[in-house]
Amino acid sequence: MKKIINNPNDVVSECLKGIELAHPELKYTPELEVISRRNPSPGKVGIVSGGGSGHEPAHAGYVGKGMLDAAVAGNMFSSPSPDRIIAGIQEASGGAGVLLVIKNYSGDIMNFEMAAEMAEMEDIQVKHVIVRDDVAVPDSTYSTGRRGIAGTVFVHKIAGAKAESGGTLDQVQAVAQKTCDNLRSMAMAMSPCTLPAVGKPGFSLGDDEIEIGMGIHGEPGVARTTIKPAKEIAQILLDKILDDYDFGGSEVALMVNGLGGTPLMELYILNNEVGQLLAAKGIKVYKTLVGNYMTAIEMTGCSLTLLKLDDELKALLDAPCDTPALKI
């Protein structure tokens, strides 16, 4: 195992300390592993998300104006505990309530809901949405129902913009839910990743193998096959997404997401193929994001996300944001 770390048990806290040093507008809460806005806006709905570490820049990279007010980090690929989550809620609370954006993993849902109950006892009104954008499998090792993957970033962006504009908690939850409902993603992996505390890959793939539909924690996908040209990978992932939801004739936001170890050159090649396929189907791409937005440590591979847009979602997607990982 070759990694730029010290003690494997300290990677989460040392990463978050490094984020705070690089971005002094953000604040790190030691031991509770929370990154929050140093100067939150009073009277604004707070937006909180989080999950296991190892998916950077998710989730701390999306804390800032126009997106999250706090992000809560669990240990590597593990849900944050309720005491960490309630600390994030407290940091984000400005008196107008807090929306939790939760990915559909059993541990995340249980712990975020427990923290929400604790917050209600402190008279902090809390609502939530659950992101289930992965069309690959109906259930997985970590989830009952579809997994939440990179499409979560669009939920952060749109809910954050609505909150920044002065939306109420009910309004922010409603637009976040609309985003979840119009969101679909699909991923593939070309190599495994290694948890620092384990020291060896969590699964194996042959030199010429890829796994279609693999999850961001290494959960099994739908098929293993030999490596294929970018054109065929784009077709496979996109077909699964379009078979699941009718994007026909609509405008969409497209995310071509890397899983941590894939060069940008390859992501842009994939984006070129996806763009041509969508154009041939009469689907107009309104905005494109290409890069590492939700990773799996150093896994090589990618995911595609489509979000069907209307005028409201377009305006919120275009609204300014200023975070370490996304600026508009």
Side-chain angles (χ1 to χ4, degrees), residues 37 44-49 62 64-70 97-102 127-131 151-180 183 307 309 312-321 323 326:
R37 294 170 67 171
K44 185 186 81 66
V45 171
I47 312 291
V48 177
S49 191
Y62 301 112
K65 184 177 180 180
M67 290 191 77
L68 302 180
D69 294 279
V98 173
L99 179 75
L100 305 179
V101 179
I102 310 169
K127 293 183 180 291
H128 71 267
V129 296
I130 298 173
V131 186
T152 309
V153 177
F154 281 137
V155 184
H156 294 167
K157 174 65 185 75
I158 287 169
K162 186 67 175 180
E164 205 74 53
S165 71
T168 66
L169 181 56
D170 284 343
Q171 290 170 335
V172 173
Q173 183 193 35
V175 79
Q177 187 60 56
K178 180 165 74 169
T179 305
C180 293
L183 196 62
L307 169 62
L309 298 172
E312 179 186 31
L313 295 184
K314 285 199 295 187
L316 294 170
L317 195 59
D318 286 340
C321 70
T323 73
L326 185 62

Side-chain angles (χ1 to χ4, degrees), residues 118-140:
M118 296 162 63
E120 296 279 2
M121 293 172 64
E122 299 180 10
D123 294 324
I124 301 173
Q125 187 180 9
V126 178
K127 293 183 180 291
H128 71 267
V129 296
I130 298 173
V131 186
R132 301 178 174 94
D133 57 315
D134 187 357
V135 303
V137 292
D139 297 285
S140 79

Side-chain angles (χ1 to χ4, degrees), residues 173-192:
Q173 183 193 35
V175 79
Q177 187 60 56
K178 180 165 74 169
T179 305
C180 293
D181 293 343
N182 288 282
L183 196 62
R184 299 292 188 276
S185 299
M186 180 79 170
M188 58 79 70
M190 297 185 292
S191 71

Side-chain angles (χ1 to χ4, degrees), residues 65-321:
K65 184 177 180 180
M67 290 191 77
L68 302 180
D69 294 279
V72 189
N75 297 329
M76 297 296 291
F77 287 7
S78 299
S79 173
S81 58
D83 62 319
R84 293 186 185 185
I85 298 166
I86 186 63
I89 292 171
Q90 291 165 343
E91 288 290 339
S93 177
V98 173
L99 179 75
L100 305 179
V101 179
I102 310 169
K103 298 189 302 304
N104 188 34
Y105 297 99
S106 301
D108 283 10
I109 291 173
M110 179 179 68
N111 290 346
F112 273 86
E113 289 183 345
M114 288 176 62
E117 292 175 4
M118 296 162 63
E120 296 279 2
M121 293 172 64
E122 299 180 10
D123 294 324
I124 301 173
Q125 187 180 9
V126 178
K127 293 183 180 291
H128 71 267
V129 296
I130 298 173
V131 186
R132 301 178 174 94
D133 57 315
D134 187 357
V135 303
V137 292
D139 297 285
S140 79
T141 312
Y142 290 72
S143 67
T144 301
R146 293 178 169 183
R147 305 173 291 214
I149 55 173
T152 309
V153 177
F154 281 137
V155 184
H156 294 167
K157 174 65 185 75
I158 287 169
K162 186 67 175 180
E164 205 74 53
S165 71
T168 66
L169 181 56
D170 284 343
Q171 290 170 335
V172 173
Q173 183 193 35
V175 79
Q177 187 60 56
K178 180 165 74 169
T179 305
C180 293
D181 293 343
N182 288 282
L183 196 62
R184 299 292 188 276
S185 299
M186 180 79 170
M188 58 79 70
M190 297 185 292
S191 71
C193 58
T194 300
L195 294 174
V198 176
K200 60 182 181 180
F203 60 93
S204 62
L205 281 171
D207 289 343
D208 64 343
E209 279 188 319
I210 61 174
E211 181 140 0
I212 304 297
M214 177 166 280
I216 56 175
H217 306 99
E219 306 99 319
V222 295
R224 286 198 177 188
T225 183
T226 55
I227 185 66
K228 299 183 182 304
K231 186 184 299 292
E232 292 184 39
I233 291 171
Q235 187 81 63
I236 291 168
L237 299 182
L238 201 56
D239 281 351
K240 184 76 171 177
I241 291 171
L242 298 180
D243 285 347
D244 189 81
Y245 185 81
D246 183 11
F247 288 93
S250 62
E251 287 186 281
V252 300
L254 166 66
M255 178 186 295
V256 180
N257 173 63
L259 297 181
T262 304
L264 272 173
M265 173 184 282
E266 296 174 27
L267 297 179
Y268 280 118
I269 291 170
L270 182 63
N271 181 58
N272 179 52
E273 298 298 339
V274 172
Q276 293 181 60
L277 290 171
L278 290 174
K281 293 179 180 293
I283 300 171
K284 180 180 178 182
V285 178
Y286 177 77
K287 185 180 289 291
T288 304
L289 299 179
V290 178
N292 289 309
Y293 295 99
M294 184 171 289
T295 66
I297 318 180
E298 81 280 25
M299 189 184 292
T300 56
C302 64
S303 64
L304 299 182
T305 297
L306 290 184
L307 169 62
K308 187 174 183 178
L309 298 172
D310 59 15
D311 289 343
E312 179 186 31
L313 295 184
K314 285 199 295 187
L316 294 170
L317 195 59
D318 286 340
C321 70

